[in-house]
Structure formats: C-alpha cells, structure tokens
Amino acid sequence: MVTAVASDIPHADYIAQLSRHLASVPATHIGICRRSAVALVIRLVLANQNQRYPEFVPPHDSTRAAEVQALDRFLNAKEFRKARAQLLFIQRAHHDQDPWSGNIGFPGGKHEAGDGSDQSTAERETREEVGLDLSAGFVHLGQLDDSPAYMLCRGIKIVVSPHVYLQTSADTPAFTLTDEVASAHWIDFGHILDRIDRPVQPFSARYQSIEVDIAARIFRAQAQTKPWWFRALGASLGTLHYTVLPLPYATEYSYHNQRMLGRRGACARFASDTELYLWGLSLGMVAGLVDLSLPLAPARLPIYRSVSSPWPQLGRWMWADINAVANVIHNSCWTPYLRKPWQRTTNDFLLTHFRVLSIL
C-alpha cells in the first residue's frame, strides 16, 4: 500500500469526513454537574480571492442525514479543491485567579442556568467573548468527546464539551474581544496536519513542552513559602512535561485586544510574536478532531498515532524507565478507547461503517 502524505489532501475533504464521523460515531458523555462548553470554529479560505464563494444550500428537512448530504455537496465544490481550512484559537487574558490564564484555547465557558444545552453554552460564550454569532452563517457539525479537566491529585475539576462549527458564508464577521480574551487567531489547518507527516517523539530535537512543577501542583499553599520539605519533595519528583504543538500565526489573520496589550508579558509562556503554544486540554481536543477528520485509511499513514500524546512525561533522565513503562501501558490501555473508528473492535468498526453509509 502506498504511503500517503496528509498535507497533500484537500482540506475540504478533511471537513467532509469530520462531518460524517461526527454524525455517525456517538460522542462520549461524562455525567458530572460542573460543565462548560467551547466552540471549535472552522472556515475555508479560497486560494483565489477573485473566485465566487460556493453557496451553502440548507437541507429541506432537519434530519442528520440530510444535513450531512448538504455539507457534502457544499464541500465538493471545485472552488474548495485548493482552499485552506483555518481553525479559530484564542489566547485567554492574564488573570491571577484563573488557572487557565494566558492559555491557548477556544472561545467558551461555564454552563449557566439559562443555557438549554452544552451547544447553547458554546454559542452564548462565543458570542460574548469574540462577538461571533454562530447561529447565522455557521453550521453545527457535531460534538467531540467530553474532555475532563483534571487537577493533579484533585480529580476532575470540570468537564468541557467541545462543539464543532463550519462557516458557510464568504465573509467572517468582525471580532469584538472582551477583556477575557487577549487575542484571536485563525490558524492554518496545515500546521496541524504537519504533525501527521512528521510526528514528534518525546524529548526529541523537535519536541517542545510546557513544564509543570509537580510539588507546586500538589501543594499550592506551600508554593510561595517553599519550606524545606517542599524543596526536598520538588527535587525528588521533578517536573511534568506536557506536549506542545507550536502553531505559527499570520499577522493578517490575528486580532489583538488593544486593552490587553500591556499585559502580554504575563502570557509569554504560551505564545511568542510568531507562534501559539497549544497544549493540555485544548491540544487533546484538536487531536480528537484530527482523528475524526482523516479522509483515508490510517494504514496509509503507518507512522501516525496522534498529533499529540495526551500523556505527560516525567523528567527525561530521572524517570526514564517509568516513562517507558507508563507509555506502553497508556498506548495499550487508553489509546484504543479514543474516538477513532479504526481502533474499535471489528463489530464496532463495521457498525460505524454502516452508520456512515446509511447517511450518504
């Protein structure tokens, strides 16, 4: 079988496959009272701006099958063959009491009493944070798996429900950034696909990570005073290394909150003047999105596993053996349960295959 190059496949084909899989493979739902939701917003930019932007014709009925078929017709337009997909990211503003302060992620926030669903939460928060009304000119493609936000040694803090949207209109509304958002960026999908063609192994030359002090995460109250036992524990435990996916951004597709420019230095850990550093929960969501969007058999991508391993690495030298054992256990026990249609059991795979056929 000929090995494929993921970056050579039209971006519209990824979105079409994503739409089919979101409609046919049920998302994992984690039942917990503290919930939030985010919006992963995708748009297609034509290679030739003088071309006519294809028109999206809504389906005549509201069935999921009709919606997927309408999206297929829209994405099969010849103008999209060389179009570039872009995914919307935001950098959260710096706030001392916010555990995700300065992080790169997606517009969204906590569920409120007036929200009818997680999807309603994602749409309301996106409208409030960046000024995008996802009910007009956008199509809801579906929901990714619930993502639990863990705090080290504290269990699940909150569950995040990611919802995927596709812009179907030619023009993107102007952003209106609140003080919760430092900047917004449309990132080329090709930068993410590059990890499929050129995967990065932990602690290799191209590996980048966010380092987190283990002792400080466990004993937050002592992180300021640093008593002797805290320093001894920190020296023995070392740090956790969370995989980073660097995302180059273009100035013409970036929008900075002018009111927050004076506080950018506090967020420098997660962004530079040319790149965003995606990690943690948001990187896990992107990995899930890519897994569901592959428009070809994974056997044609023999070196591909994920755009990022969500499993953090302990210190390279101090815990080398433990890292090796943990990665083997993680890959054999956790990875098969990801929402990857090709990694399920034979019956599950066939069922998924027939589900996809049934809506086309």
Side-chain angles (χ1 to χ4, degrees), residues 100 103-104 147-148 210 242-245 277-287 308-310:
W100 290 282
N103 275 255
I104 307 304
S147 298
I210 294 288
Y242 289 86
T243 300
V244 163
L245 175 60
Y277 303 132
L278 186 67
W279 73 295
L281 200 64
S282 297
L283 179 53
M285 295 177 193
V286 169
S308 170
S309 169

Side-chain angles (χ1 to χ4, degrees), residues 102-271:
N103 275 255
I104 307 304
F106 307 101
K110 294 179 181 178
H111 179 86
E112 294 184 356
D115 297 332
S117 63
D118 290 334
Q119 181 180 343
S120 299
T121 301
E123 294 178 1
R124 174 184 56 77
E125 286 284 346
T126 301
R127 184 171 57 253
E128 292 175 358
E129 290 189 342
V130 298
L132 283 186
D133 183 0
L134 297 177
S135 64
F138 296 85
V139 172
H140 180 244
L141 299 185
Q143 178 187 351
L144 299 174
D145 289 341
D146 277 356
S147 298
Y150 291 97
M151 296 298 287
L152 197 61
C153 297
R154 289 175 173 83
I156 298 178
K157 182 178 179 66
I158 195 170
V159 169
V160 183
S161 174
H163 288 261
V164 186
Y165 293 83
L166 173 66
Q167 179 180 314
T168 55
S169 58
D171 299 317
T172 305
F175 288 125
T176 303
L177 306 183
T178 66
D179 288 344
E180 296 180 19
V181 179
S183 58
H185 309 264
W186 289 105
I187 300 297
D188 192 291
F189 196 54
H191 297 314
I192 301 170
L193 298 180
D194 181 65
R195 275 292 176 95
I196 297 179
D197 295 327
R198 300 195 304 153
V200 176
Q201 298 299 321
F203 303 115
S204 62
R206 293 174 56 228
Y207 179 71
Q208 293 179 247
S209 66
I210 294 288
E211 297 183 13
V212 176
D213 185 271
I214 299 175
R217 287 291 294 272
I218 299 175
F219 301 100
R220 288 177 177 268
Q222 288 75 30
Q224 298 297 325
T225 58
K226 292 183 172 61
W228 69 266
W229 61 265
F230 178 88
R231 297 194 301 271
L233 186 65
S236 60
L237 294 179
T239 57
L240 279 175
H241 297 258
Y242 289 86
T243 300
V244 163
L245 175 60
L247 299 173
Y249 63 85
T251 304
E252 62 266 32
Y253 298 130
S254 300
Y255 308 85
H256 296 276
N257 190 335
Q258 298 300 315
R259 299 186 302 276
M260 310 300 293
L261 288 180
R263 308 180 71 179
R264 285 192 65 193
C267 304
R269 187 184 186 193
F270 307 110

Side-chain angles (χ1 to χ4, degrees), residues 336 340-354:
K340 297 182 179 181
W342 59 87
Q343 286 193 343
R344 297 171 183 259
T345 65
T346 302
N347 290 337
D348 286 340
F349 180 84
L350 292 175
L351 180 60
T352 298
H353 182 69
F354 286 124

